[in-house]
Amino acid sequence: MGRYNLEYPKEATNTVKRLNERGTYALETIHRIINCSKILYISFNTASQPFPAILPMIGQMGSFDRPSADLGDPLDLYLHGYVSSRIMNLSRAGSEDVEKGMPVCIATSHVDGLVLAISSFSHSYNYRSAVLFGHATVVIDEAEKLYAMELITDSVVPDRWRHTRLPPTKAELQSTGILRVRIASGSAKIHTGQAHDDKHDMENEAMRDSVWTGVLPIYQTMGEPLASPYNRIDVPGYISEFAKDFNEDNQQQALDAAKGQ
Amino acid sequence: MGRYNLEYPKEATNTVKRLNERGTYALETIHRIINCSKILYISFNTASQPFPAILPMIGQMGSFDRPSADLGDPLDLYLHGYVSSRIMNLSRAGSEDVEKGMPVCIATSHVDGLVLAISSFSHSYNYRSAVLFGHATVVIDEAEKLYAMELITDSVVPDRWRHTRLPPTKAELQSTGILRVRIASGSAKIHTGQAHDDKHDMENEAMRDSVWTGVLPIYQTMGEPLASPYNRIDVPGYISEFAKDFNEDNQQQALDAAKGQ
């Protein structure tokens, strides 16, 4: 644990303008939102298209140079993808500055609840949303690739990597690419709490008597594990404990969000 | 129901290259994935930044000109946001061609399960992912704005709009902007099924005896409604039925995905 709560500097790129009291720049908060996301959205530009592109990818914040780094430390984002995909090729050779990498934006969010008010314009979500900006390059070093592959696999199911067939084959390592994004800046936006209405709606007795107001909590649930046809063993403890924690933590998060925590 | 299953033309922008057997261009499939998403990710470029930006927004496919249109018909995407937000200002005035609008990419996805294999490189998700490309303009016409506001509100909780305080005040209408995205192209990528391993892992008896393989189904769950401190009424039927359907449908989707359906 560091002595400081590090923050990304507020600059034009990352400053939250709308409802800015919901904005935060703390590395720990932003990295936590990224790391508990099953999918990240990566945006990049291509020379041939007028539209930016978005790819859904699996990724995780980490530090190859200092694997024991905390969530609140400066970290890189590692992304996993097919080695000859467009984003890999662009990151490898298509950016103006190969050393620096391709400019990307990464976003993800979690919906913790639907907030229903008297006026539809006072409706809201409870949510946690994060965005990062940075430069993506393809990881060449084999040790760093393996570090990132283990990091990403264990982010899907904790402790899974060492319970799979190891080491990876040469073909597996060659066909799977890892992108490293050096983060330039980022921000998060979080909203929690109960329904809220403007004064004139709160004083509208007919509406107070007829419109249900409150929060519908939403959370991801993991169902019973479904063994494959070729599976031969019982569900191991590290999987069943993960499923239990996943369900308890996600439900609690949604209930806490409704309480404004 | 039309006589044809319309598809977006396969062009350079939208063609799924990696694992292209998972790709689909059917309007109905793509629009359905968009419309059951609680959050959409909208990417756009700004003149002042090297990075594309991504905003999480709430939106819905619809047709103001023909509100009875099916999901498989050509539709516009309506997005809801604060009227003076950056994306609204850019869509209003910042694009090179004001008539045509600002080029945007829209993406979203649903994770239906974690697919665990013997090799970590054969791990996968069951998922439904969609991407759309188009041009965003700000909706000026008041009737179209109201159409979109009702569409988006009812996408969050079906039938909610008419159960809120109506009509919107002048201030509400002025402070809320609606973007309409004319869709240029799109695609979806869907993966379902059980774990799968390569031949040499299937023949590895030691691994077959020690690695659990299968699917951990994942789905969004809605918890018990939490009334606000100023709520005076019981949970209405349209909300409790929505919560019940939401939970049953999402769970079934994850279980079906594991079965390859």
Side-chain angles (χ1 to χ4, degrees), chain B:
Chain B
M1 306 292 279
R3 285 182 300 161
Y4 310 104
N5 292 320
L6 294 176
E7 296 193 346
Y8 288 114
K10 279 175 75 169
E11 293 161 351
T13 307
N14 67 325
T15 297
V16 174
K17 295 199 185 68
R18 170 65 181 153
L19 298 172
N20 59 13
E21 74 283 2
R22 298 181 184 174
T24 173
Y25 304 88
L27 271 61
E28 184 175 351
T29 305
I30 297 166
H31 297 168
R32 189 181 304 281
I33 292 170
I34 298 284
N35 275 10
C36 68
S37 292
K38 292 271 164 269
I39 289 193
L40 304 173
Y41 297 86
I42 318 300
S43 180
F44 58 99
N45 282 300
T46 62
S48 57
Q49 302 295 338
F51 308 104
I54 303 183
L55 279 186
M57 297 180 83
I58 305 179
Q60 196 75 180
M61 308 296 309
S63 170
F64 176 63
D65 296 330
R66 198 161 72 83
S68 65
D70 288 317
L71 264 185
D73 289 330
L75 300 172
D76 297 319
L77 173 65
Y78 287 100
L79 295 165
H80 150 280
Y82 182 56
V83 74
S84 67
S85 61
R86 187 171 52 160
I87 193 171
M88 290 282 172
N89 290 336
L90 284 168
S91 300
R92 193 178 292 112
S95 53
E96 286 152 42
D97 182 341
V98 176
E99 287 295 303
K100 199 175 178 190
M102 179 172 65
V104 295
C105 176
I106 301 103
T108 193
S109 56
H110 306 268
V111 177
D112 294 319
L114 312 180
V115 184
L116 310 188
I118 291 171
S119 167
S120 67
F121 294 80
S122 298
H123 281 52
S124 181
Y125 282 177
N126 287 329
Y127 64 88
R128 290 163 285 146
S129 164
V131 62
L132 290 171
F133 301 92
H135 292 89
T137 53
V138 176
V139 175
I140 307 295
D141 180 70
E142 189 158 310
E144 186 171 3
K145 263 183 94 165
L146 279 167
Y147 162 79
M149 288 167 174
E150 179 170 353
L151 182 75
I152 292 169
T153 303
D154 286 349
S155 81
V156 176
V157 176
D159 217 18
R160 179 67 182 172
W161 178 263
R162 70 182 182 92
H163 288 96
T164 61
R165 188 262 302 141
L166 293 173
T169 65
K170 207 167 177 176
E172 287 176 334
L173 283 175
Q174 277 174 353
S175 69
T176 302
I178 296 286
L179 287 181
R180 179 188 55 235
V181 183
R182 296 276 192 214
I183 306 302
S185 73
S187 63
K189 215 166 160 182
I190 295 173
H191 182 245
T192 62
Q194 255 295 353
H196 179 84
D197 271 287
D198 290 345
K199 189 164 172 287
H200 74 275
D201 282 316
M202 291 297 281
E203 291 168 352
N204 186 329
E205 293 296 324
M207 286 294 114
R208 289 284 297 274
D209 286 341
S210 63
V211 182
W212 188 86
T213 55
V215 174
L216 305 178
I218 290 186
Y219 42 90
Q220 281 195 308
T221 299
M222 196 167 287
E224 287 297 313
L226 304 167
S228 80
Y230 61 95
N231 174 67
R232 294 177 178 170
I233 66 170
D234 289 339
V235 178
Y238 72 95
I239 293 179
S240 52
E241 275 162 41
F242 162 58
K244 186 165 166 284
D245 291 347
F246 182 92
N247 289 338
E248 287 174 1
D249 292 351
N250 285 338
Q251 183 176 26
Q252 196 59 49
Q253 181 101 37
L255 298 179
D256 287 348
K259 288 183 204 147
Q261 291 165 344

Side-chain angles (χ1 to χ4, degrees), chain A residues 89-103 136-137:
Chain A
N89 290 335
L90 284 168
S91 300
R92 193 178 292 113
S95 54
E96 287 152 41
D97 182 342
V98 176
E99 288 295 304
K100 198 175 178 191
M102 178 173 65
T137 52

